[in-house]
Amino acid sequence: MTETVITADTDSETDAVNPDETPAEQDETPIDEELLAEAGRGLGTTSRNEILNGVLRDYVERKRQQRREALERVRKLADEGAFDFDRIDEVDQ
C-alpha cells in the first residue's frame, strides 16, 4: 500500500497554509488510502486532485447549506416574534 502525505502548516490565528516552509517543517499526516479510494469511487474518479477537490467541495457545500438552514430557522423565529428587540434596546441604554 502506498502512503500519500499531504502537508500543511497552519497559523492558529488564520488557519492559512504557509507555503514558505519546507515539508519537514510542516505537519505530515498520511492520507488514508482506503478512504481516498472509496471517495474516488463515490466521485467517479481516480485522480488524487479531483478526489481531494471533490471532497473539499462537498464539505464546503454541506457547511454552507447548514448555515443557510440555520439562518432560515432564525429568520422564521424572528418572524414568529421569538425575539424581543425592544428588550435589547432597553439593555443597551
Side-chain angles (χ1 to χ4, degrees):
M1 177 188 288
T2 303
E3 182 178 277
T4 301
V5 176
I6 293 183
T7 60
D9 184 28
T10 59
D11 181 292
S12 61
E13 291 180 14
T14 63
D15 287 334
V17 174
N18 185 347
D20 297 329
E21 291 186 333
T22 65
E25 296 170 315
Q26 298 175 352
D27 178 33
E28 296 183 10
T29 305
I31 290 180
D32 184 320
E33 293 296 324
E34 292 175 17
L35 287 175
L36 186 68
E38 185 175 340
R41 286 189 298 275
L43 293 167
T45 186
T46 58
S47 162
R48 289 186 180 294
N49 284 345
E50 287 180 12
I51 294 168
L52 293 173
N53 285 330
V55 169
L56 291 170
R57 189 177 309 104
D58 288 349
Y59 172 81
V60 168
E61 284 302 316
R62 260 192 333 272
K63 289 299 181 181
R64 287 177 180 167
Q65 183 61 33
Q66 288 173 347
R67 287 192 300 268
R68 282 190 294 267
E69 290 170 359
L71 179 58
E72 185 57 36
R73 287 190 301 270
V74 168
R75 285 180 174 157
K76 184 178 179 182
L77 287 169
D79 289 345
E80 294 171 351
F83 305 109
D84 185 356
F85 294 107
D86 292 332
R87 179 72 181 123
I88 293 172
D89 290 337
E90 290 172 15
V91 171
D92 285 341
Q93 294 177 2

